[in-house]
Amino acid sequence: MQQIEVYAYGSLQPVLKDSRNWLEDALSDAHLPLIELLHRLDITQGQVQLVMLNHCPAAMDAVVRSGDRVALFPPEYPIFADWKDYRSVG
C-alpha cells in the first residue's frame, strides 16, 4: 500500500477532510500523474494556482510517487514571484 501526503490551503481546504490527508494509492503503478491525483480529489486544474511537490514548485505534468508530499494552493493564495512559471491559471 502506497501513501501520498496531501496538504490543501485556502479555498481548497474543504475539499479534504482537513488541511492534511493521506491518500492510499491502490494502483499497481507507483507513479501517479499530478492531474490524476487532482481528479481523484475532485479538484479541477483551474482550482489550483500552484503545486509544491516535496517542497519544490511543480508543473502540472509532474509525477507523484509513493511517499511524496503534495501541497495545493488556490488562485487567491499569494505565491512568490519566482514561482510564476509554475502557475497553472492566469
Coordinates of all heavy atoms in Angstrom, one line a residue:
M1 N 0.8 -1.2 0.0 CA 0.0 0.0 0.0 C 0.9 1.2 0.0 O 1.8 1.3 0.8 CB -0.9 0.0 1.2 CG -2.1 0.8 1.0 SD -3.4 0.6 2.3 CE -3.0 -0.9 3.1
Q2 N 0.6 2.2 -0.9 CA 1.4 3.4 -1.0 C 0.7 4.6 -0.5 O -0.5 4.7 -0.5 CB 1.7 3.6 -2.5 CG 2.4 2.4 -3.1 CD 2.3 2.5 -4.6 OE1 2.1 3.6 -5.2 NE2 2.5 1.4 -5.3
Q3 N 1.4 5.5 0.1 CA 0.8 6.7 0.7 C 1.4 8.0 0.0 O 2.6 8.1 -0.2 CB 1.1 6.8 2.2 CG 0.4 5.7 2.9 CD 0.6 5.8 4.4 OE1 1.6 6.4 4.9 NE2 -0.4 5.3 5.2
I4 N 0.5 8.9 -0.2 CA 0.9 10.3 -0.7 C 0.3 11.3 0.3 O -0.9 11.2 0.6 CB 0.3 10.5 -2.1 CG1 0.9 9.5 -3.1 CG2 0.6 11.9 -2.5 CD1 0.2 9.5 -4.4
E5 N 1.1 12.1 0.8 CA 0.6 13.1 1.8 C 0.2 14.4 1.0 O 1.0 14.9 0.2 CB 1.8 13.5 2.8 CG 1.3 14.3 3.9 CD 2.4 14.6 4.9 OE1 3.6 14.1 4.7 OE2 2.2 15.2 5.9
V6 N -1.0 14.8 1.2 CA -1.6 16.0 0.5 C -2.0 17.0 1.5 O -2.7 16.8 2.5 CB -2.8 15.6 -0.3 CG1 -3.4 16.8 -1.1 CG2 -2.4 14.5 -1.3
Y7 N -1.6 18.3 1.3 CA -2.0 19.4 2.0 C -2.7 20.4 1.1 O -2.3 20.6 0.0 CB -0.7 20.2 2.6 CG 0.0 19.4 3.6 CD1 0.9 18.5 3.3 CD2 -0.1 19.8 5.0 CE1 1.7 17.8 4.3 CE2 0.6 19.1 6.0 CZ 1.5 18.1 5.6 OH 2.2 17.4 6.6
A8 N -3.8 21.0 1.6 CA -4.6 21.9 0.8 C -4.7 23.2 1.6 O -4.9 23.2 2.8 CB -5.9 21.4 0.5
Y9 N -4.6 24.3 0.9 CA -4.6 25.6 1.6 C -5.8 26.5 1.0 O -6.3 26.2 -0.1 CB -3.3 26.3 1.4 CG -2.2 25.6 2.0 CD1 -1.4 24.7 1.3 CD2 -1.9 25.8 3.4 CE1 -0.4 24.0 1.9 CE2 -0.9 25.1 4.0 CZ -0.1 24.2 3.3 OH 0.9 23.5 3.9
G10 N -6.2 27.5 1.8 CA -7.2 28.4 1.3 C -8.5 27.7 1.0 O -9.0 26.9 1.8
S11 N -9.1 28.1 -0.1 CA -10.4 27.6 -0.5 C -10.4 26.1 -0.8 O -11.4 25.4 -1.0 CB -10.9 28.3 -1.7 OG -10.1 28.2 -2.8
L12 N -9.2 25.5 -0.9 CA -9.1 24.0 -1.2 C -9.2 23.2 0.0 O -9.4 22.0 -0.1 CB -7.8 23.7 -2.0 CG -7.6 24.3 -3.4 CD1 -6.2 24.1 -3.9 CD2 -8.7 23.7 -4.3
Q13 N -9.1 23.8 1.2 CA -9.1 23.0 2.4 C -10.4 22.2 2.6 O -10.3 21.0 3.0 CB -8.9 23.9 3.7 CG -7.5 24.3 3.9 CD -7.3 25.1 5.1 OE1 -8.2 25.8 5.6 NE2 -6.1 25.0 5.7
P14 N -11.6 22.8 2.3 CA -12.8 21.9 2.5 C -12.8 20.7 1.6 O -13.6 19.8 1.8 CB -13.9 22.9 2.1 CG -13.3 24.3 2.3 CD -11.9 24.1 1.9
V15 N -12.0 20.7 0.5 CA -12.0 19.5 -0.4 C -11.5 18.3 0.4 O -12.0 17.2 0.2 CB -11.2 19.8 -1.6 CG1 -11.0 18.5 -2.5 CG2 -11.8 20.9 -2.4
L16 N -10.6 18.5 1.2 CA -10.0 17.4 2.1 C -10.8 17.4 3.4 O -11.3 18.4 3.8 CB -8.5 17.6 2.3 CG -7.7 17.7 1.0 CD1 -6.2 17.9 1.4 CD2 -7.8 16.4 0.2
K17 N -10.7 16.4 4.1 CA -11.4 16.3 5.4 C -10.8 17.3 6.4 O -11.4 17.9 7.2 CB -11.3 14.9 6.0 CG -12.1 13.9 5.2 CD -12.0 12.5 5.8 CE -12.9 11.6 5.0 NZ -12.1 10.7 4.2
D18 N -9.5 17.5 6.3 CA -8.8 18.6 7.0 C -7.7 19.1 6.1 O -7.6 18.8 4.9 CB -8.2 18.1 8.3 CG -7.3 16.9 8.2 OD1 -6.8 16.7 7.1 OD2 -7.2 16.2 9.2
S19 N -6.8 19.9 6.6 CA -5.7 20.5 5.7 C -4.7 19.5 5.3 O -3.8 19.8 4.5 CB -5.1 21.7 6.3 OG -4.5 21.4 7.5
R20 N -4.7 18.3 5.9 CA -3.7 17.3 5.6 C -4.5 16.0 5.4 O -5.4 15.6 6.1 CB -2.7 17.2 6.7 CG -1.6 16.2 6.5 CD -0.7 16.2 7.6 NE -0.2 14.9 7.8 CZ 0.2 14.3 8.9 NH1 0.2 15.0 10.0 NH2 0.6 13.1 8.9
N21 N -4.0 15.2 4.4 CA -4.7 14.0 4.1 C -3.7 13.0 3.6 O -2.9 13.3 2.8 CB -5.8 14.3 3.1 CG -6.8 13.1 2.9 OD1 -6.9 12.3 3.8 ND2 -7.5 13.1 1.8
W22 N -3.8 11.7 4.0 CA -3.0 10.7 3.4 C -3.9 9.9 2.4 O -5.0 9.6 2.7 CB -2.6 9.7 4.5 CG -1.6 10.3 5.4 CD1 -1.8 10.9 6.6 CD2 -0.2 10.3 5.2 NE1 -0.7 11.3 7.1 CE2 0.4 10.9 6.3 CE3 0.7 9.8 4.2 CZ2 1.8 11.1 6.5 CZ3 2.0 10.0 4.4 CH2 2.6 10.6 5.5
L23 N -3.4 9.7 1.2 CA -4.1 9.0 0.2 C -3.5 7.6 0.0 O -2.3 7.5 -0.1 CB -4.1 9.8 -1.1 CG -4.7 11.1 -1.2 CD1 -4.6 11.7 -2.6 CD2 -6.2 11.0 -0.8
E24 N -4.3 6.7 0.0 CA -3.8 5.3 -0.3 C -4.0 5.1 -1.8 O -5.1 5.2 -2.4 CB -4.7 4.3 0.4 CG -4.6 4.5 1.9 CD -3.3 4.2 2.6 OE1 -2.5 3.5 2.0 OE2 -3.0 4.8 3.6
D25 N -2.9 4.8 -2.5 CA -2.9 4.5 -3.9 C -3.0 3.1 -4.1 O -2.0 2.3 -3.9 CB -1.7 5.2 -4.6 CG -1.7 5.0 -6.1 OD1 -2.8 4.6 -6.6 OD2 -0.7 5.2 -6.7
A26 N -4.1 2.6 -4.6 CA -4.3 1.1 -4.8 C -3.8 0.7 -6.2 O -3.8 -0.5 -6.5 CB -5.8 0.8 -4.7
L27 N -3.3 1.6 -7.0 CA -2.7 1.2 -8.3 C -1.5 0.4 -8.1 O -0.7 0.6 -7.2 CB -2.4 2.5 -9.1 CG -3.6 3.3 -9.5 CD1 -3.1 4.6 -10.3 CD2 -4.6 2.6 -10.4
S28 N -1.3 -0.5 -9.0 CA 0.0 -1.3 -9.0 C 1.2 -0.4 -9.5 O 2.3 -0.6 -9.1 CB -0.1 -2.5 -9.9 OG -0.4 -2.1 -11.2
D29 N 0.8 0.7 -10.3 CA 1.9 1.6 -10.7 C 2.1 2.6 -9.6 O 1.2 3.3 -9.1 CB 1.3 2.3 -12.0 CG 2.3 3.3 -12.6 OD1 3.5 3.3 -12.1 OD2 2.0 4.0 -13.5
A30 N 3.4 2.7 -9.3 CA 3.8 3.7 -8.2 C 3.9 5.1 -8.7 O 4.2 6.0 -7.9 CB 5.1 3.2 -7.6
H31 N 3.7 5.4 -9.9 CA 3.8 6.7 -10.5 C 2.4 7.2 -10.9 O 1.7 6.6 -11.7 CB 4.7 6.7 -11.7 CG 6.0 6.2 -11.4 ND1 6.3 4.9 -11.2 CD2 7.2 6.9 -11.3 CE1 7.6 4.8 -11.0 NE2 8.2 6.0 -11.0
L32 N 1.9 8.3 -10.2 CA 0.6 8.8 -10.5 C 0.8 10.2 -11.0 O 1.3 11.1 -10.4 CB -0.2 8.8 -9.2 CG -1.6 9.3 -9.2 CD1 -2.5 8.4 -9.9 CD2 -2.1 9.5 -7.7
P33 N 0.2 10.5 -12.2 CA 0.3 11.9 -12.8 C -0.4 12.8 -11.8 O -1.5 12.5 -11.3 CB -0.4 11.8 -14.1 CG -0.3 10.3 -14.5 CD -0.4 9.6 -13.2
L34 N 0.1 14.0 -11.7 CA -0.5 15.0 -10.8 C -1.9 15.3 -11.2 O -2.8 15.4 -10.3 CB 0.4 16.3 -10.8 CG -0.2 17.4 -10.0 CD1 -0.3 17.0 -8.5 CD2 0.7 18.6 -10.1
I35 N -2.2 15.4 -12.5 CA -3.5 15.7 -12.9 C -4.5 14.6 -12.5 O -5.7 14.8 -12.2 CB -3.5 15.9 -14.5 CG1 -4.6 16.9 -14.9 CG2 -3.6 14.6 -15.2 CD1 -4.4 18.3 -14.5
E36 N -4.0 13.3 -12.4 CA -4.9 12.2 -12.0 C -5.1 12.3 -10.4 O -6.2 12.0 -10.0 CB -4.2 10.9 -12.3 CG -4.9 9.6 -11.8 CD -6.3 9.5 -12.3 OE1 -6.7 9.9 -13.4 OE2 -7.2 8.8 -11.6
L37 N -4.1 12.7 -9.7 CA -4.3 13.0 -8.3 C -5.4 14.0 -8.0 O -6.2 13.8 -7.2 CB -3.0 13.4 -7.6 CG -3.0 13.8 -6.1 CD1 -3.3 12.5 -5.3 CD2 -1.7 14.4 -5.7
L38 N -5.3 15.1 -8.8 CA -6.3 16.2 -8.6 C -7.7 15.6 -9.0 O -8.7 15.9 -8.3 CB -6.0 17.3 -9.5 CG -4.8 18.2 -9.2 CD1 -4.5 19.3 -10.2 CD2 -4.8 18.7 -7.8
H39 N -7.8 14.8 -10.0 CA -9.1 14.2 -10.4 C -9.6 13.3 -9.3 O -10.8 13.4 -9.0 CB -8.9 13.4 -11.7 CG -10.1 12.6 -12.1 ND1 -11.2 13.3 -12.7 CD2 -10.4 11.3 -12.1 CE1 -12.1 12.4 -13.0 NE2 -11.7 11.2 -12.6
R40 N -8.8 12.5 -8.6 CA -9.2 11.7 -7.5 C -9.7 12.5 -6.3 O -10.5 12.0 -5.6 CB -8.1 10.7 -7.1 CG -7.8 9.7 -8.1 CD -6.7 8.8 -7.6 NE -6.4 7.8 -8.7 CZ -5.7 6.7 -8.4 NH1 -5.3 6.4 -7.2 NH2 -5.4 5.9 -9.4
L41 N -9.1 13.7 -6.2 CA -9.5 14.6 -5.1 C -10.7 15.4 -5.5 O -11.2 16.2 -4.7 CB -8.4 15.5 -4.7 CG -7.2 14.8 -4.0 CD1 -6.0 15.8 -3.9 CD2 -7.6 14.3 -2.7
D42 N -11.2 15.3 -6.7 CA -12.3 16.0 -7.2 C -12.0 17.5 -7.3 O -12.8 18.4 -6.9 CB -13.6 15.8 -6.4 CG -14.9 16.2 -7.2 OD1 -14.8 16.2 -8.5 OD2 -15.9 16.5 -6.6
I43 N -10.8 17.8 -7.7 CA -10.3 19.2 -7.8 C -9.9 19.4 -9.3 O -9.3 18.6 -9.9 CB -9.0 19.4 -7.0 CG1 -9.3 19.2 -5.5 CG2 -8.4 20.8 -7.2 CD1 -8.1 19.3 -4.6
T44 N -10.4 20.5 -9.8 CA -10.1 20.8 -11.2 C -8.8 21.6 -11.3 O -8.4 22.2 -10.3 CB -11.2 21.7 -11.9 OG1 -11.2 23.0 -11.2 CG2 -12.6 21.0 -11.8
Q45 N -8.2 21.5 -12.4 CA -6.9 22.2 -12.6 C -7.0 23.7 -12.4 O -6.2 24.4 -11.9 CB -6.3 21.9 -14.0 CG -4.9 22.5 -14.2 CD -4.4 22.0 -15.5 OE1 -4.8 21.1 -16.2 NE2 -3.3 22.7 -16.0
G46 N -8.2 24.3 -12.7 CA -8.4 25.7 -12.5 C -8.6 26.1 -11.1 O -8.4 27.3 -10.8
Q47 N -8.8 25.2 -10.2 CA -8.9 25.5 -8.8 C -7.5 25.6 -8.1 O -7.4 26.0 -7.0 CB -9.7 24.4 -8.0 CG -11.1 24.4 -8.3 CD -11.8 23.3 -7.6 OE1 -11.8 22.1 -8.1 NE2 -12.5 23.6 -6.5
V48 N -6.4 25.2 -8.8 CA -5.1 25.2 -8.3 C -4.2 26.2 -9.0 O -4.0 26.1 -10.2 CB -4.5 23.7 -8.4 CG1 -3.1 23.7 -7.8 CG2 -5.4 22.8 -7.7
Q49 N -3.6 27.1 -8.3 CA -2.6 28.0 -8.8 C -1.2 27.5 -8.8 O -0.4 27.7 -9.8 CB -2.7 29.3 -8.0 CG -1.6 30.3 -8.4 CD -1.6 31.5 -7.6 OE1 -1.3 32.6 -8.2 NE2 -1.9 31.5 -6.4
L50 N -0.9 26.8 -7.8 CA 0.5 26.3 -7.6 C 0.5 25.0 -6.9 O -0.3 24.8 -5.9 CB 1.3 27.3 -6.7 CG 2.7 26.9 -6.3 CD1 3.6 26.9 -7.6 CD2 3.2 27.9 -5.3
V51 N 1.4 24.1 -7.3 CA 1.5 22.8 -6.6 C 3.0 22.7 -6.2 O 3.9 23.0 -7.0 CB 1.2 21.6 -7.6 CG1 1.5 20.3 -6.9 CG2 -0.2 21.7 -8.1
M52 N 3.2 22.4 -4.9 CA 4.5 22.1 -4.4 C 4.6 20.6 -4.2 O 3.8 20.0 -3.5 CB 4.7 22.9 -3.1 CG 4.6 24.4 -3.2 SD 6.0 25.1 -4.1 CE 7.2 25.1 -2.8
L53 N 5.6 20.0 -4.8 CA 5.9 18.6 -4.7 C 7.2 18.4 -3.9 O 8.2 18.8 -4.4 CB 5.9 18.0 -6.1 CG 6.2 16.5 -6.2 CD1 5.1 15.7 -5.5 CD2 6.2 16.0 -7.6
N54 N 7.1 17.8 -2.8 CA 8.3 17.7 -1.9 C 9.0 19.0 -1.7 O 10.2 19.1 -1.8 CB 9.2 16.6 -2.5 CG 8.5 15.3 -2.5 OD1 7.8 14.9 -1.7 ND2 8.8 14.6 -3.6
H55 N 8.2 20.0 -1.4 CA 8.7 21.4 -1.0 C 9.3 22.2 -2.2 O 9.9 23.2 -2.0 CB 9.6 21.3 0.2 CG 9.1 20.6 1.4 ND1 8.2 21.2 2.2 CD2 9.3 19.4 1.8 CE1 7.9 20.3 3.2 NE2 8.5 19.2 2.9
C56 N 9.1 21.7 -3.4 CA 9.5 22.4 -4.6 C 8.4 22.7 -5.5 O 7.5 21.8 -5.7 CB 10.6 21.6 -5.3 SG 12.1 21.3 -4.4
P57 N 8.4 23.8 -6.2 CA 7.3 24.1 -7.2 C 7.3 23.0 -8.3 O 8.4 22.6 -8.7 CB 7.6 25.5 -7.7 CG 8.9 25.8 -7.3 CD 9.3 24.9 -6.2
A58 N 6.1 22.6 -8.7 CA 6.0 21.5 -9.7 C 5.0 21.9 -10.8 O 4.0 22.6 -10.5 CB 5.5 20.2 -9.0
A59 N 5.3 21.5 -12.0 CA 4.4 21.8 -13.1 C 3.3 20.7 -13.1 O 3.4 19.7 -12.4 CB 5.2 21.7 -14.4
M60 N 2.2 21.0 -13.8 CA 1.0 20.1 -13.8 C 1.3 18.7 -14.4 O 0.6 17.8 -14.2 CB -0.1 20.7 -14.5 CG -0.9 21.7 -13.7 SD -1.7 20.8 -12.3 CE -2.3 22.2 -11.4
D61 N 2.4 18.6 -15.2 CA 2.8 17.3 -15.8 C 3.7 16.5 -14.9 O 4.2 15.5 -15.3 CB 3.4 17.5 -17.1 CG 4.6 18.3 -17.1 OD1 5.0 18.9 -16.1 OD2 5.3 18.4 -18.2
A62 N 3.9 16.9 -13.6 CA 4.7 16.2 -12.7 C 4.1 14.9 -12.3 O 2.9 14.7 -12.4 CB 4.9 17.0 -11.4
V63 N 5.0 14.0 -11.9 CA 4.5 12.6 -11.5 C 4.7 12.5 -10.0 O 5.7 12.8 -9.4 CB 5.4 11.5 -12.2 CG1 5.0 10.2 -11.7 CG2 5.1 11.6 -13.7
V64 N 3.6 12.0 -9.3 CA 3.6 11.9 -7.9 C 3.9 10.4 -7.6 O 3.4 9.5 -8.2 CB 2.3 12.3 -7.3 CG1 2.3 12.1 -5.8 CG2 2.0 13.7 -7.7
R65 N 4.8 10.2 -6.6 CA 5.2 8.8 -6.3 C 4.9 8.5 -4.8 O 4.7 9.4 -4.0 CB 6.7 8.6 -6.5 CG 7.0 8.7 -8.0 CD 8.6 8.7 -8.2 NE 8.9 8.6 -9.6 CZ 8.9 9.7 -10.4 NH1 8.6 10.9 -9.9 NH2 9.2 9.6 -11.7
S66 N 4.9 7.3 -4.4 CA 4.7 6.9 -3.0 C 5.6 7.6 -2.1 O 6.8 7.7 -2.5 CB 4.9 5.4 -2.9 OG 4.8 5.0 -1.6
G67 N 5.1 8.1 -1.0 CA 6.0 8.8 -0.1 C 6.1 10.3 -0.3 O 6.7 11.1 0.4
D68 N 5.6 10.8 -1.5 CA 5.7 12.2 -1.8 C 4.7 13.1 -0.9 O 3.7 12.6 -0.4 CB 5.3 12.5 -3.3 CG 6.5 12.1 -4.2 OD1 7.6 11.9 -3.7 OD2 6.3 12.1 -5.4
R69 N 5.1 14.4 -0.8 CA 4.3 15.4 -0.1 C 3.8 16.3 -1.2 O 4.6 16.9 -1.9 CB 5.1 16.1 0.9 CG 4.4 17.2 1.6 CD 5.3 18.0 2.5 NE 4.6 18.9 3.3 CZ 4.2 20.1 3.0 NH1 4.3 20.5 1.7 NH2 3.6 20.9 3.8
V70 N 2.5 16.6 -1.3 CA 1.9 17.5 -2.3 C 1.2 18.6 -1.5 O 0.4 18.3 -0.7 CB 0.9 16.7 -3.2 CG1 0.3 17.7 -4.2 CG2 1.7 15.6 -3.9
A71 N 1.5 19.8 -1.9 CA 0.8 21.0 -1.3 C 0.1 21.7 -2.4 O 0.7 22.0 -3.5 CB 1.7 21.9 -0.6
L72 N -1.2 22.0 -2.3 CA -2.0 22.6 -3.3 C -2.4 24.0 -2.8 O -3.0 24.2 -1.7 CB -3.3 21.8 -3.5 CG -3.1 20.3 -3.9 CD1 -4.4 19.5 -3.9 CD2 -2.3 20.2 -5.2
F73 N -2.2 25.0 -3.7 CA -2.5 26.4 -3.4 C -3.5 26.9 -4.4 O -3.3 26.8 -5.6 CB -1.2 27.2 -3.4 CG -0.2 26.8 -2.4 CD1 0.7 25.9 -2.7 CD2 -0.2 27.4 -1.1 CE1 1.7 25.5 -1.7 CE2 0.7 27.0 -0.2 CZ 1.6 26.1 -0.5
P74 N -4.6 27.5 -3.9 CA -5.7 28.0 -4.8 C -5.2 29.4 -5.4 O -4.3 30.0 -5.0 CB -6.9 28.2 -3.9 CG -6.3 28.4 -2.6 CD -5.0 27.6 -2.5
P75 N -6.0 29.9 -6.4 CA -5.6 31.1 -7.1 C -5.6 32.3 -6.1 O -4.8 33.3 -6.4 CB -6.7 31.3 -8.1 CG -7.2 30.0 -8.4 CD -7.1 29.2 -7.1
E76 N -6.4 32.3 -5.1 CA -6.4 33.5 -4.2 C -5.2 33.5 -3.2 O -5.0 34.5 -2.5 CB -7.7 33.6 -3.4 CG -7.8 32.6 -2.2 CD -8.4 31.2 -2.6 OE1 -8.6 31.0 -3.8 OE2 -8.6 30.5 -1.7
Y77 N -4.5 32.4 -3.2 CA -3.4 32.3 -2.2 C -2.1 33.0 -2.8 O -1.7 32.8 -3.9 CB -3.1 30.8 -2.0 CG -2.4 30.6 -0.7 CD1 -3.2 30.3 0.5 CD2 -1.0 30.6 -0.5 CE1 -2.6 30.1 1.7 CE2 -0.4 30.3 0.7 CZ -1.2 30.1 1.8 OH -0.6 29.8 3.0
P78 N -1.5 33.9 -2.0 CA -0.3 34.6 -2.5 C 0.9 33.7 -2.7 O 1.1 32.8 -1.9 CB 0.0 35.7 -1.5 CG -0.7 35.2 -0.2 CD -1.8 34.3 -0.6
I79 N 1.6 33.8 -3.8 CA 2.8 33.0 -4.0 C 4.0 33.9 -4.4 O 3.8 35.1 -4.7 CB 2.6 32.0 -5.1 CG1 2.3 32.6 -6.5 CG2 1.4 31.0 -4.8 CD1 2.3 31.7 -7.6
F80 N 5.1 33.4 -4.3 CA 6.3 34.1 -4.6 C 6.5 34.4 -6.1 O 6.2 33.5 -6.9 CB 7.6 33.4 -4.0 CG 7.6 33.3 -2.5 CD1 7.3 32.2 -1.9 CD2 7.9 34.5 -1.8 CE1 7.3 32.1 -0.5 CE2 7.9 34.4 -0.4 CZ 7.6 33.2 0.2
A81 N 7.0 35.5 -6.4 CA 7.1 35.9 -7.8 C 8.0 34.9 -8.6 O 7.7 34.7 -9.8 CB 7.7 37.3 -7.9
D82 N 9.0 34.3 -8.0 CA 9.9 33.4 -8.8 C 9.2 32.1 -9.1 O 9.8 31.3 -9.8 CB 11.2 33.3 -8.1 CG 11.2 32.7 -6.7 OD1 10.1 32.7 -6.1 OD2 12.2 32.1 -6.2
W83 N 8.0 31.9 -8.5 CA 7.3 30.6 -8.8 C 6.3 30.9 -10.0 O 5.5 30.0 -10.3 CB 6.6 30.1 -7.6 CG 7.4 29.7 -6.5 CD1 8.8 29.4 -6.6 CD2 7.1 29.5 -5.2 NE1 9.2 29.0 -5.3 CE2 8.2 29.1 -4.4 CE3 5.9 29.6 -4.5 CZ2 8.2 28.8 -3.1 CZ3 5.9 29.3 -3.1 CH2 7.0 28.9 -2.4
K84 N 6.3 32.0 -10.6 CA 5.3 32.4 -11.6 C 5.2 31.4 -12.7 O 4.2 31.2 -13.3 CB 5.5 33.8 -12.1 CG 6.7 34.0 -12.9 CD 6.8 35.5 -13.4 CE 8.0 35.9 -14.1 NZ 9.0 35.1 -14.5
D85 N 6.3 30.8 -13.1 CA 6.4 29.9 -14.2 C 5.6 28.6 -13.9 O 5.4 27.8 -14.8 CB 7.8 29.6 -14.6 CG 8.5 30.8 -15.2 OD1 7.8 31.7 -15.7 OD2 9.7 30.8 -15.2
Y86 N 5.3 28.3 -12.6 CA 4.7 27.1 -12.2 C 3.2 27.3 -12.0 O 2.5 26.3 -11.7 CB 5.3 26.5 -10.9 CG 6.7 26.1 -11.2 CD1 7.8 26.9 -10.9 CD2 7.0 24.9 -11.8 CE1 9.1 26.5 -11.2 CE2 8.3 24.5 -12.0 CZ 9.3 25.3 -11.7 OH 10.6 24.9 -12.0
R87 N 2.7 28.5 -12.2 CA 1.2 28.7 -12.0 C 0.5 28.0 -13.1 O 0.9 28.0 -14.3 CB 0.9 30.2 -12.1 CG 1.5 31.0 -11.0 CD 1.1 32.5 -11.1 NE 2.0 33.3 -10.3 CZ 1.9 34.5 -10.1 NH1 0.9 35.2 -10.7 NH2 2.7 35.2 -9.3
S88 N -0.7 27.5 -12.8 CA -1.5 26.8 -13.8 C -2.7 27.6 -14.2 O -3.4 27.2 -15.1 CB -2.0 25.4 -13.2 OG -2.8 25.7 -12.1
V89 N -2.9 28.7 -13.6 CA -4.0 29.6 -14.1 C -3.5 31.0 -14.2 O -2.4 31.4 -13.7 CB -5.2 29.6 -13.1 CG1 -5.8 28.2 -13.0 CG2 -4.8 30.1 -11.7
G90 N -4.3 31.8 -14.9 CA -3.9 33.3 -15.0 C -2.8 33.4 -15.9 O -2.1 34.2 -16.2

